[in-house]
Amino acid sequence: MSAQKSASRTKPVSAIGAFVGFVGFSALAGLLVTIGVTPAIAVAGVTTTSTIGVFESLPEYIEIGDLPQRNELYAYQGGKSVHFATVYDQNRQELKYDQISDQLKNAAIDGEDKRFWDHGGVDLTSLVRAGVGSVAGGLGDSGGGSTLTMQLVRNIKMNQALELPTKEEQEKAYSEATEQTIPRKLEEMKLAIGLAKKYTHKEILTGYLNIAYFGDQTYGVQAAAQHYYNKNATDLTPAEAASLIAIVQYPEARNLSNPSKYEANVARRNVILKSMYAQKHLTKEQFDQAIAANPKDYVKLTAPTQGCRASVGDGSQFFCDYAVKVVKEMSQLGSSQKERDAAWRNGGYQIQTTLQIDLNAQQKQILNTYDDKAETRLALGSTLNSIEADTGRILTMAQNKDYDQSLKSAPTATSLNYSVDKQYGGSNGFQTGSTYKLFTLLAWLKAGHGLNETVSGTPRDMSTGWTECGQPYYVAGGYRPKNDSPGESGNYTVARATALSINLAYLNMAQKLDLCDIRDTAKSLGVHRADGGELKSNPTSVLGINEIAPMTMAAAYAAVANNGVYCKPIAIEQITNDEGKKLGGQTKDCKQAIEPSIAQAAVFAMKGTIASGTARGAQTYDGTQLFGKTGTTDTANQIWLVGSSSRVATAYWQGNTNGKELNLRHFSNGVNGTYAGSRADVWRQAQTPVNAAYPAGPFTDPSSSSIRGNSIPVPNVEGKSADEARSAIAGAGLTYVDGGARPGGGQAGTVSSTSPGAGSYLSQGSSVTVYTTDGTQTTVPDVVGKSFDEARGLLQQAGFADVSTTTRYAKGGDGKQCTVADVRPQVATAASKDTTVSLQLFGDEDGKAPKECR
C-alpha cells in the first residue's frame, strides 16, 4: 500500500501543474464554472478537441455501494460447528453517517477539503491553487487539488483493484488507479462530478470514511478506531480523530502500528488540528489538549476483530480467504457474478465450512516448527492440506507464512495462498516432482501391465521411443535423464522402482505407453495446472514438471485411497441467508475415475514407499495402513510428500517461492536436519492427529492378477544354444537381444545368463538380452574333505590343469590328515581354466605335516 500514498502527495503536484499547462487556467475555469451542468459542454469552446475527446470518453458515474451486513463463517471444533470468522465486504465494517464521530468528520473536511459542503465534487479554488503551487515549486502537504469526492473516487478504484482475482491484476489496476497522469486526473474529476450529482454530501463523506485505507491492513474508520484505539469510531477525541485522518495520505509511513511512525503522524495530525481550530470546530482548550497529546497515551493497538485476518484458529486465515472466494462464485447468491457480488456485499449470510480448526492449528504449529516463516536464506514456503477421501471435504489448509492481504507484505507473511490455484490464491503452483509418477503408474496398470514387471533403471539417451497422442515424439537436442542417486542403475520391478522412485524406470514405463494417456489419467483425477493452462504431456512431464497446487495433488491421492472414486474438493457445506433459509452448499461431486482394482494395485505399490522406500519415517505409530509418494525437483528447490490412509489424504509441500533454484537439501531447518530431509517426519506428525480424528481401516489388497498384469515370465534358457534361446524367447512373446559372449564355463556358445533373469516378468515385446559363454571358464567343484588325489582328479575333470598343494597345513585330527581343508579359488567360483588351483590340506593336531602326507 505504500505506493498508494506516495502517489497521492508526492507526484500529484506535478500532474496538476501539467494539467493546468495543458488546458490553461481560463479553460479550467470555464470547465468548473459549468460543472453542475454538463462537463463536456464546459470543455467545449475553451480547450482543444483532444481534451474534449479525453473527457467525453470517461465513465460518467461510479457507485459508492450499499452498507453491508456482516457474513458469518463457521467451522468444526471438537465435533461441533463453531463460529470462526466475521467477514464484511472487503474486510471492513461500515458505519452510517450518524454513527461516525463529529470529530472525525470535521478532521476529514478541515484537513482535506475545507470547501467540501460548497462544491460539486471538484473545487476550482483548490485546483487553481495547486496549479500555481506546482509552478512555484511544490505544495507538500498543503494540498494537491483533490477534494474528498475525488479522493473517494480514487479509493473506490483502488478498492476495485484489490477485488481482482490475481496479484498481477491487482497490482496493475492499483497502479492505474493511483498513477499521476492527465487522463487519470480527468477521470477522477469527471467521476467526482458524477458522484456529486448522484449522492448527497453526507453520503459522499460517509463513503470516504468507510473506504479509506488506514494502513496495517485496516480499511474504514470503524476498523481503524478498533485497531488503533480499541474503541468505536462513534466517540473519538480530537487528537484521535486527527491522528486517523493524518494516516490516509501516507498510510504506511503514518499509521499507528509502531511507535517509530508516531513522529510522522503527529506532524500531520497537528496540521489538521490547527485547521480544525481555525474552522472553529475546536475550542482553545480542546486544541491545546489535542496538540499536547502523546500517541503513546491514546494508542491501544488491538488485533482485528473482523475479516479473515481475525479468524479463529491458528492458521485458519488462508482457508477463510479461500472459502469467501468460493462462496462468491456459488449460484446460491445469484445467477450472475454481479448479482453474487452484490448479495455478498449486502451480507447477512451464515456459511458452514468444512474446516477442522484443531487439526488445521496442529498442522500450522508443525509448519511453524520445521519450516520457519522467518527463514532469510531462501524464500521458504510450505503447506499441509488434508482432504477426506470419500467426500472431498477440505479438512485443513495450513501454511507456514502468516496471512497478509496488503500489496506489500512483511517477509514472514504473504498474500498468496500456496495451497490453491492462482484463481483463488494468486499462486502459480509448483512443480510436483516424482509425486506425478502416480499417474504413470495408474496408466501402466490400466494398460494391463503389472507391478512385478521388470524395467530398466539404467541411464541412457532417451531422445526417441516416445508416443504422444498416437504420434511419434522426438526430443530435439537429446535427452539424457538421470536418477536421483548416481548409484541407481540396473533392473527393477515396477513395485520396487515405485518405492525407490527410480526416474529411468518410470521413463521406460512411459515409453511403453502414450504420454497423452498419462496426462488424461491425471486429468480424470482432477489434476490441472494451477495457472489454468493445459497440462504438459512431453517426456519430462512424467517426472513432474507441471506446476500444480498442493490441494489438487491431495485430492488426486485421496481418489486412489477411495478405490478410484474422485471427489472434487469442497469447502462449503451450507449457506443460510439473513432470513434463516438454507440455500445448500457445494454439491458432493464424485465419480469413478479409476477402476477399483487399478487403484488397489497402485496403493499396494506405494505402501512400499513408506515401508522401505523414499518415504521411510512417514509411518505413523498408530499402525494405520498408509501409502505415499515423495517428489523432488531436479534442483531440489521443491520438495513433496503426498500420502493417505483409507480415509484422509495429506499433501506436504515445501519450496523456494521466488523462482531461485536453491537446493533444500543444503539448508538446515534448525530442528532435525535439512528441510528436504525432514519431510517424512513432518508428514508423519501431520497425519497422526488426522488418523486419530478419522480412524481408517486397512486397504483392500489387489488380486494376484492385478499385481502380475498381462506380463510374461522370462523363460529359463541357461545352457541352451543361442538358436534354442532365440526360439524360446520369441515364443514367449519377447524380443531376443544378442548380448555377445562372455568369459564363462560350459560349452562355448551356450547361454550363460539373461537380463532380466529367468522368471522375471516383462511386458509383451520387451527385450531380453542373452549372454553366451566363451567356454574359457569353469566352476571350482567342492573338493573339501577329499584326499589330494581325489581332489586333483575332480579339478582336472572340471577343466583345471594346474593343481598345487600349499606347504602350510591346517590343524587336523584323527581321520582328517591329508584331506583338503580349503581351496583357492573358492568352491563354486567361476575361474579361467588356466588358473592355478591351490589346495590346503589338514595336518596333525599341531598343524604339522604328518609323515604320510610328505
Side-chain angles (χ1 to χ4, degrees):
M1 290 297 176
S2 58
Q4 170 185 347
K5 301 313 125 195
S6 59
S8 298
R9 281 299 188 185
T10 58
K11 293 185 180 179
V13 171
S14 58
I16 293 294
F19 174 81
V20 172
F22 179 67
V23 300
F25 281 114
S26 60
L28 182 61
L31 166 65
L32 295 174
V33 165
T34 56
I35 209 165
V37 188
T38 306
I41 295 176
V43 177
V46 295
T47 188
T48 65
T49 303
S50 62
T51 307
I52 297 174
V54 169
F55 208 85
E56 289 185 324
S57 67
L58 296 174
E60 186 72 32
Y61 293 113
I62 191 167
E63 297 286 341
I64 292 178
D66 298 327
L67 293 174
Q69 299 181 60
R70 62 187 181 185
N71 298 300
E72 306 284 3
L73 271 65
Y74 293 81
Y76 291 99
Q77 188 172 39
K80 298 179 180 179
S81 174
V82 297
H83 173 267
F84 86 105
T86 298
V87 180
Y88 289 81
D89 184 55
Q90 284 302 298
N91 291 336
R92 74 184 77 248
Q93 184 174 350
E94 299 192 26
L95 300 178
K96 296 180 181 179
Y97 181 82
D98 292 339
Q99 294 176 306
I100 300 172
S101 161
D102 287 340
Q103 302 288 6
L104 265 174
K105 299 170 192 171
N106 293 333
I109 294 172
D110 297 344
E112 299 292 322
D113 187 4
K114 294 182 180 65
R115 281 170 289 280
F116 171 74
W117 297 110
D118 301 321
H119 61 67
V122 179
D123 183 6
L124 171 62
T125 303
S126 294
L127 197 60
V128 171
R129 187 184 72 243
V132 173
S134 176
V135 174
L139 295 175
D141 266 333
S142 63
S146 289
T147 63
L148 285 177
T149 314
M150 292 169 67
Q151 291 183 47
L152 174 57
V153 167
R154 191 180 315 143
N155 274 279
I156 290 173
K157 293 180 73 65
M158 290 187 297
N159 183 67
Q160 292 170 341
L162 295 179
E163 291 181 338
L164 295 174
T166 69
K167 190 165 185 177
E168 290 83 354
E169 290 175 293
Q170 290 175 5
E171 290 177 343
K172 182 176 182 294
Y174 197 93
S175 176
E176 291 173 353
T178 57
E179 66 182 357
Q180 299 304 307
T181 63
I182 293 169
R184 202 276 302 163
K185 201 68 181 180
L186 283 170
E187 181 182 37
E188 260 185 28
M189 291 169 60
K190 186 171 184 180
L191 290 173
I193 294 167
L195 279 178
K197 287 182 178 181
K198 187 171 185 179
Y199 299 100
T200 67
H201 283 79
K202 286 185 177 181
E203 289 172 328
I204 290 170
L205 179 58
T206 303
Y208 172 76
L209 292 173
N210 277 323
I211 202 173
Y213 179 57
F214 289 89
D216 204 27
Q217 300 186 68
T218 306
Y219 296 83
V221 289
Q222 174 66 357
Q226 290 176 336
H227 181 46
Y228 294 124
Y229 306 141
N230 194 26
K231 63 194 301 186
N232 293 323
T234 304
D235 184 24
L236 297 180
T237 67
E240 292 168 340
S243 269
L244 285 188
I245 300 302
I247 296 172
V248 295
Q249 295 298 342
Y250 293 97
E252 298 305 333
R254 292 177 179 165
N255 74 65
L256 299 168
S257 65
N258 192 302
S260 64
K261 302 178 182 182
Y262 288 175
E263 182 178 355
N265 179 278
V266 167
R268 179 59 186 166
R269 179 202 72 179
N270 290 348
V271 171
I272 295 171
L273 288 171
K274 290 175 183 177
S275 183
M276 293 172 70
Y277 179 64
Q279 297 298 317
K280 302 187 184 305
H281 288 132
L282 294 178
T283 66
K284 183 64 166 62
E285 182 180 1
Q286 288 175 317
F287 172 73
D288 290 341
Q289 288 177 348
I291 287 287
N294 190 324
K296 70 178 184 181
D297 295 326
Y298 58 81
V299 172
K300 297 177 178 60
L301 200 63
T302 307
T305 58
Q306 57 87 23
C308 286
R309 185 186 179 196
S311 62
V312 174
D314 190 10
S316 67
Q317 294 76 27
F318 286 102
F319 177 87
C320 173
D321 183 84
Y322 172 75
V324 168
K325 288 183 171 71
V326 170
V327 168
K328 292 168 75 172
E329 291 182 342
M330 294 176 64
S331 61
Q332 287 90 331
L333 270 65
S335 58
S336 69
Q337 193 59 54
K338 184 176 181 180
E339 290 178 358
R340 292 190 285 271
D341 289 342
W344 181 256
R345 186 163 47 248
N346 292 336
Y349 293 102
Q350 294 183 9
I351 312 296
Q352 178 63 59
T353 73
T354 60
L355 180 70
Q356 294 287 337
I357 289 178
D358 290 338
L359 287 179
N360 196 80
Q362 287 172 297
Q363 292 187 354
K364 168 63 173 170
Q365 286 301 314
I366 292 169
L367 294 178
N368 287 349
T369 300
Y370 293 94
D371 296 314
D372 186 7
K373 65 185 177 184
E375 171 64 72
T376 58
R377 296 167 296 176
L378 67 159
L380 181 66
S382 66
T383 60
L384 280 164
N385 294 270
S386 294
I387 290 183
E388 190 173 35
D390 62 352
T391 64
R393 295 169 71 248
I394 303 169
L395 306 179
T396 68
M397 189 180 288
Q399 185 162 311
N400 72 323
K401 295 289 188 181
D402 293 332
Y403 175 82
D404 184 349
Q405 285 300 296
S406 62
L407 289 181
K408 186 176 181 181
S409 303
T412 57
T414 183
S415 63
L416 300 178
N417 186 341
Y418 299 136
S419 295
V420 297
D421 293 338
K422 183 176 182 180
Q423 176 184 357
Y424 298 103
S427 170
N428 288 319
F430 309 96
Q431 289 191 349
T432 58
S434 292
T435 58
Y436 200 84
K437 287 176 182 172
L438 166 65
F439 312 116
T440 297
L441 176 61
L442 292 170
W444 173 266
L445 294 167
K446 285 167 62 179
H449 296 288
L451 298 179
N452 285 344
E453 285 190 34
T454 299
V455 289
S456 173
T458 302
R460 63 182 177 87
D461 182 82
M462 302 191 76
S463 303
T464 60
W466 302 97
T467 302
E468 184 183 36
C469 298
Q471 300 298 316
Y473 186 98
Y474 172 74
V475 182
Y479 181 42
R480 294 196 63 87
K482 300 181 297 182
N483 289 318
D484 191 53
S485 172
E488 293 171 338
S489 187
N491 293 324
Y492 298 84
T493 65
V494 169
R496 193 59 183 153
T498 301
L500 298 179
S501 198
I502 306 299
N503 291 340
L504 270 295
Y506 261 80
L507 290 168
N508 279 311
M509 290 163 62
Q511 283 199 329
K512 297 179 182 296
L513 307 169
D514 190 312
L515 292 167
C516 290
D517 290 341
I518 297 172
R519 177 202 63 195
D520 293 344
T521 298
K523 283 185 174 181
S524 73
L525 296 174
V527 176
H528 55 275
R529 289 179 59 86
D531 61 8
E534 283 295 315
L535 277 178
K536 297 175 183 177
S537 57
N538 56 33
T540 58
S541 69
V542 175
L543 302 182
I545 51 89
N546 281 294
E547 289 89 2
I548 298 170
M551 190 176 75
T552 300
M553 293 301 290
Y557 275 67
V560 177
N562 193 31
N563 288 309
V565 176
Y566 169 72
C567 295
K568 188 176 180 180
I570 57 176
I572 310 301
E573 289 186 350
Q574 185 63 261
I575 301 175
T576 305
N577 67 12
D578 58 353
E579 297 175 349
K581 182 179 180 181
K582 295 186 182 300
L583 306 179
Q586 287 179 286
T587 304
K588 180 180 175 181
D589 186 3
C590 300
K591 65 176 182 178
Q592 188 76 51
I594 302 293
E595 287 296 319
S597 60
I598 302 300
Q600 290 158 11
V603 167
F604 183 82
M606 290 188 290
K607 282 165 126 183
T609 306
I610 291 177
S612 60
T614 55
R616 285 186 299 271
Q619 178 61 53
T620 55
Y621 301 146
D622 55 27
T624 300
Q625 286 193 9
L626 303 168
F627 74 89
K629 187 71 193 70
T630 56
T632 307
T633 55
D634 283 348
T635 57
N637 67 324
Q638 308 296 328
I639 304 294
W640 294 74
L641 201 168
V642 188
S644 186
S645 69
S646 59
R647 291 192 65 187
V648 178
T650 298
Y652 173 44
W653 161 83
Q654 59 176 186
N656 192 57
T657 61
N658 63 6
K660 294 182 180 179
E661 296 183 345
L662 298 177
N663 192 324
L664 269 67
R665 289 169 168 161
H666 298 164
F667 295 90
S668 170
N669 63 14
V671 182
N672 64 344
T674 65
Y675 285 117
S678 67
R679 64 177 148 192
D681 190 33
V682 170
W683 191 90
R684 175 186 57 77
Q685 293 185 53
Q687 187 70 17
T688 296
V690 171
N691 291 348
Y694 293 85
F699 292 104
T700 302
D701 287 335
S703 64
S704 59
S705 60
S706 295
I707 294 176
R708 175 176 171 177
N710 57 13
S711 55
I712 302 167
V714 175
N716 186 355
V717 294
E718 187 173 342
K720 296 182 181 297
S721 68
D723 288 340
E724 289 173 326
R726 187 188 306 272
S727 177
I729 288 170
L734 302 171
T735 302
Y736 178 96
V737 176
D738 186 357
R742 288 181 168 181
Q747 184 179 346
T750 60
V751 176
S752 59
S753 64
T754 61
S755 179
S760 299
Y761 287 96
L762 298 176
S763 54
Q764 187 169 7
S766 294
S767 297
V768 178
T769 302
V770 177
Y771 300 99
T772 56
T773 176
D774 63 4
T776 62
Q777 291 185 341
T778 187
T779 303
V780 177
D782 186 0
V783 294
V784 174
K786 307 289 185 183
S787 69
F788 175 77
D789 289 338
E790 288 177 310
R792 180 169 56 186
L794 289 171
L795 288 165
Q796 289 174 341
Q797 185 179 339
F800 293 106
D802 188 0
V803 180
S804 66
T805 59
T806 180
T807 57
R808 296 177 58 193
Y809 289 80
K811 290 183 179 181
D814 292 340
K816 288 187 177 182
Q817 290 90 344
C818 304
T819 61
V820 177
D822 192 20
V823 59
R824 290 289 186 273
Q826 291 183 335
V827 173
T829 300
S832 175
K833 291 179 179 179
D834 59 7
T835 300
T836 299
V837 179
S838 299
L839 300 176
Q840 184 183 39
L841 304 179
F842 280 113
D844 57 22
E845 293 180 353
D846 296 324
K848 296 179 181 179
K851 294 179 180 179
E852 58 267 31
C853 294
R854 295 176 184 171

